[in-house]
Amino acid sequence: MLEMTREEFEELVAEALDRIPPELTRLMDNVAVFVEDEPPADDPELLGLYEGTPLTDRGEWYAGVLPDRITIYRNPTLRMCETREDVVAETEVTVVHEIAHHFGIDDARLHALGYG
């Protein structure tokens, strides 16, 4: 497995977030991004997870709820990548993928766009 500290990986996630166009980040609402070492035991290869209510599904009822949660998992990413450059690229794809879920874009569309 490729070695990278949690702090280094968190920095890559932050850099990937910084590359999201400002016109999109301005539209993001009530969402927090976290880094965890391992995904849930039932899905050990999971690279990222979006938990919440996509913007497209929110209605008048949506008020006073906890923020949506995007989690990026460090160790599965490091296990699948051979180089630091691979980690940078995979982290960016994963961050974009999970943010897209926040905007209501499903997995099938993301795969078609190359963010699978």
Side-chain angles (χ1 to χ4, degrees):
M1 182 168 90
L2 188 66
E3 293 293 322
M4 181 177 288
T5 67
R6 172 98 178 233
E7 292 77 21
E8 288 173 305
F9 190 79
E10 288 174 348
E11 183 62 30
L12 292 181
V13 171
E15 290 170 5
L17 288 167
D18 288 344
R19 285 190 288 278
I20 302 296
E23 53 271 15
L24 289 179
T25 57
R26 279 193 293 273
L27 297 173
M28 292 174 65
D29 182 45
N30 200 31
V31 61
V33 179
F34 299 91
V35 170
E36 297 290 338
D37 288 333
E38 292 292 343
D42 63 338
D43 198 355
E45 301 303 312
L46 188 66
L47 303 180
L49 181 64
Y50 170 76
E51 299 170 286
T53 304
L55 295 175
T56 54
D57 292 345
R58 295 179 186 181
E60 293 177 15
W61 59 268
Y62 187 85
V65 299
L66 292 173
D68 290 3
R69 180 180 178 104
I70 292 174
T71 307
I72 308 299
Y73 298 106
R74 181 174 71 101
N75 288 338
T77 305
L78 296 178
R79 285 192 291 268
M80 74 174 288
C81 294
E82 294 182 15
T83 67
R84 180 178 171 78
E85 292 76 24
D86 292 343
V87 175
V88 170
E90 191 58 52
T91 301
E92 187 163 326
V93 166
T94 302
V95 167
V96 169
H97 182 108
E98 301 311 327
I99 288 173
H101 286 318
H102 177 68
F103 284 101
I105 301 171
D106 66 17
D107 281 327
R109 181 70 179 137
L110 286 167
H111 284 274
L113 293 171
Y115 289 96

